[in-house]
């Protein structure tokens, strides 16, 4: 029975301060509201320098950042890109559309990131790039992948959408890829509502990305196009919000840790599930979201999520892995048993409310309701 006195706790509560509101309204009053506004360039420079990359190209979403990245690689049919099956559809869409072949890798049980041994085993003569995705706040082993890519002459694409402020040996995630991408979607640690950025040290990549983002307009002859692009521009209001959030990114990142640590303490010792790991060999969890994997003998993630919804706790399932996507069925014709860990994570995993704007009281309340379900 739904309890009408319970307050609903949404899966994401962003942190929007008075300064953020001021920054966006100032931009509106300024009147220069398009993607051509200098504030976009300022946000690009600020965020790139925060991560430790030379150039940033702001775009309208993390998915757009991935699309633009794959687009400028000029992949040919038969070229291969290695990536984890356990990720968001955004990572694979443009690979498939270009006619290149995505090569999927299963996840590791201990940190949910893709298995490096399997990556090594799947490198072949047609491999062009490896896409590493830092999953839910735990770093993928981009140190080893960087070395592998250098050895075999491959490009490393780093998806750090879920790894804002996360470090490996003192360097920020997003600084390891030849091209790295971030999302600033509403549930990301730093948000512009919708938005994303591509980072690189390479001026050729940078210039191609800028062109593709902007319909491949030409400087000399606007409206005469030598190639096709997209409109992926970020608006000035989004950039103004991003620039404002960037000023307190350390406190946003810190809030994720506080929420994660509090959940750990409050949910410790429940044998029916496994909590998001505290760290892996590359560093501590930045807890972009606080994930839980239920024991197969206990119940499925979907069942638990329904029970929590009745108790007014918003949750999200883990990723449905790429090998099980109906839209990609003809491509992979795979079964759950082909990627057992990713398949299990999809069946048994989900995450709790983790937004940077949530209060400690809300974290206590979520943990309390989770315990209620386990004990019922
Ligand atoms: C959120 C996310 C994206 C997509 O970003 P959008 O801004 O929502 O398009 C891409 N990759 C990962 C790993 C993400 O978590």
């Amino acid at each position: 029975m739904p309890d009408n006195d319970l307050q609903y706790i949404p899966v994401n509560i962003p942190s929007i301060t008075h300064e953020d509101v001021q920054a966006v309204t100032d931009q509106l009053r300024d009147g220069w509201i398009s993607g051509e506004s200098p504030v976009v360039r300022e946000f690009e420079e600020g965020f790139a320098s925060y991560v430790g990359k030379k150039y940033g190209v702001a775009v309208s979403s993390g998915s757009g950042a991935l699309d633009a990245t794959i687009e400028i690689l000029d992949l040919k049919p038969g070229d291969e890109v290695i990536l984890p099956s356990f990720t968001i559809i955004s990572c694979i869409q443009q690979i498939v559309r270009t006619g290149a072949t995505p090569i999927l890798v299963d996840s590791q049980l201990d940190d949910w990131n893709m298995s490096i041994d399997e990556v090594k085993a799947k490198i072949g003569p047609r491999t062009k790039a490896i896409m590493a995705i830092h999953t839910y706040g735990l770093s993928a082993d981009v140190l080893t992948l960087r070395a592998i890519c250098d050895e075999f002459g491959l490009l490393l694409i780093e998806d750090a959408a879920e790894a804002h402020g996360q470090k490996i040996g003192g360097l920020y995630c997003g600084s390891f890829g030849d091209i790295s991408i971030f999302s600033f979607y509403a549930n990301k640690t730093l948000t512009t509502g919708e938005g994303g950025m591509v980072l690189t040290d390479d001026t050729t990549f940078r210039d191609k990305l800028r062109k593709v983002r902007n319909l491949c307009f030409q400087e000399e002859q606007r409206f005469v196009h030598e190639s096709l692009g997209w409109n992926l521009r970020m608006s000035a209001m989004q950039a103004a919000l991003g620039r404002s959030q960037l000023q307190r990114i350390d406190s946003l990142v810190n809030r994720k840790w506080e929420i994660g640590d509090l959940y750990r303490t409050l949910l410790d010792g429940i044998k029916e599930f496994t909590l998001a790991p505290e760290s892996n060999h590359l560093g501590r969890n930045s807890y972009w979201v606080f994930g839980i994997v239920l024991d197969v003998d206990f119940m499925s993630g979907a069942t638990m999520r329904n029970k929590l919804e009745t108790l007014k706790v918003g949750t999200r399932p883990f990723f449905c892995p790429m090998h099980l996507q109906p839209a990609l069925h003809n491509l992979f014709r795979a079964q759950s048993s082909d990627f057992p860990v990713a398949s299990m994570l999809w069946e048994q995993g989900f995450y709790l409310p983790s937004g940077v704007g949530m209060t400690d009281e809300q974290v206590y309340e979520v943990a309390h309701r989770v315990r209620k379900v386990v004990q019922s």
Side-chain angles (χ1 to χ4, degrees):
M1 286 297 281
D3 183 336
N4 290 323
D5 295 336
L6 280 180
Q7 257 218 339
Y8 191 79
I9 303 174
V11 70
N12 180 52
I13 302 173
S15 157
I16 303 295
T17 60
H18 173 73
E19 287 75 23
D20 291 342
V21 174
Q22 193 66 44
V24 175
T25 46
D26 284 353
Q27 195 59 45
L28 281 163
R29 283 200 194 89
D30 173 81
W32 201 345
I33 58 178
S34 76
E36 305 290 331
S37 160
V39 71
V40 177
R41 190 59 69 88
E42 284 162 28
F43 178 46
E44 289 175 338
E45 285 169 3
F47 193 77
S49 122
Y50 167 75
V51 173
K53 277 285 191 217
K54 284 196 186 132
Y55 311 111
V57 178
V59 288
S60 49
S61 70
S63 304
L66 286 159
D67 289 346
T69 297
I70 297 299
E71 176 68 14
I72 65 161
L73 301 187
D74 270 329
L75 297 174
K76 304 281 176 289
D79 287 349
E80 295 176 355
V81 179
I82 298 174
L83 78 164
S85 185
F86 188 66
T87 188
I88 188 168
I89 194 84
S90 316
C91 294
I92 207 170
Q93 291 200 123
Q94 189 59 17
I95 301 173
V96 173
R97 286 187 181 128
T98 58
T101 307
I103 303 291
L104 301 179
V105 170
D106 202 6
S107 298
Q108 309 171 137
L109 255 184
D110 55 354
D111 67 1
W112 311 335
N113 283 304
M114 78 176 157
S115 154
I116 302 296
D117 286 341
E118 204 178 311
V119 170
K120 285 186 195 157
K122 288 187 166 169
I123 294 174
R126 300 301 305 265
T127 309
K128 288 288 178 299
I130 298 174
M131 189 185 285
I133 292 127
H134 303 290
T135 310
Y136 298 156
L138 282 161
S139 298
D141 192 347
V142 282
L143 298 179
T144 304
L145 291 173
R146 182 70 269 168
I148 291 174
C149 285
D150 292 345
E151 183 186 341
F152 292 93
L154 310 176
L155 284 169
L156 179 62
I157 301 163
E158 187 183 5
D159 180 342
E162 304 178 359
H164 299 199
Q166 190 173 311
K167 284 183 180 172
I168 302 173
L171 298 174
Y172 281 111
C173 288
S175 67
F176 297 89
D178 296 292
I179 305 181
S180 306
I181 75 99
F182 283 84
S183 163
F184 307 123
Y185 180 61
N187 70 0
K188 299 309 200 289
T189 303
L190 181 155
T191 184
T192 59
E194 303 281 356
M197 202 179 289
V198 191
L199 301 181
T200 185
D201 289 336
D202 183 299
T203 51
T204 310
F205 285 152
R206 177 201 64 190
D207 295 344
K208 285 186 179 175
L209 289 162
R210 284 181 181 163
K211 286 203 83 149
V212 160
R213 162 180 71 177
N214 195 21
L215 294 167
C216 296
F217 278 127
Q218 304 196 95
E219 301 233 330
E220 306 77 29
Q221 278 194 298
R222 203 176 166 88
F223 300 115
V224 178
H225 302 262
E226 287 183 16
S227 39
L228 304 179
W230 289 289
N231 179 353
L232 295 170
R233 300 186 299 264
M234 172 183 272
S235 80
M237 284 74 76
Q238 291 167 310
L241 178 54
R243 199 179 50 167
S244 175
Q245 295 234 329
L246 186 58
Q247 287 181 12
R248 63 193 160 85
I249 186 153
D250 290 342
S251 81
L252 294 169
V253 171
N254 201 47
R255 184 64 193 141
K256 287 285 192 193
W257 274 322
E258 288 175 358
I259 293 168
D261 287 343
L262 195 51
Y263 272 135
R264 289 206 80 73
T265 312
L266 297 169
L267 296 173
D268 188 38
I270 301 179
K271 62 179 188 333
E272 282 82 358
F273 51 65
T274 307
L275 301 178
E278 194 168 10
S279 60
N280 67 6
H281 71 288
L282 297 162
R284 62 187 292 206
N285 196 336
S286 72
Y287 297 116
W288 170 59
V289 292
F290 196 87
I292 287 182
V293 180
L294 304 177
D295 273 10
V296 179
D297 298 337
F298 175 50
M299 62 174 80
S300 73
T303 307
M304 178 86 175
R305 290 186 57 233
N306 281 333
K307 288 175 187 284
L308 284 169
E309 188 66 32
T310 315
L311 293 178
K312 298 191 178 174
V313 176
T315 60
R316 284 283 180 280
F318 272 8
F319 296 127
C320 175
M322 296 306 105
H323 69 278
L324 297 180
Q325 292 293 343
L328 304 172
H329 178 72
N330 287 339
L331 195 61
F332 299 121
R333 300 188 178 280
Q335 297 170 353
S336 295
S337 53
D338 296 337
F339 300 90
V341 177
S343 304
M344 182 282 290
L345 291 171
W346 158 235
E347 285 293 324
Q348 299 304 122
F350 72 99
Y351 63 82
L352 297 173
S354 309
V356 276
M358 69 188 297
T359 63
D360 282 0
E361 288 65 35
Q362 285 172 315
V363 179
Y364 280 105
E365 197 45 46
V366 170
H368 175 69
R369 294 181 202 174
V370 168
R371 281 191 178 272
K372 233 173 158 170
V373 171
V374 173
Q375 284 154 10
S376 67

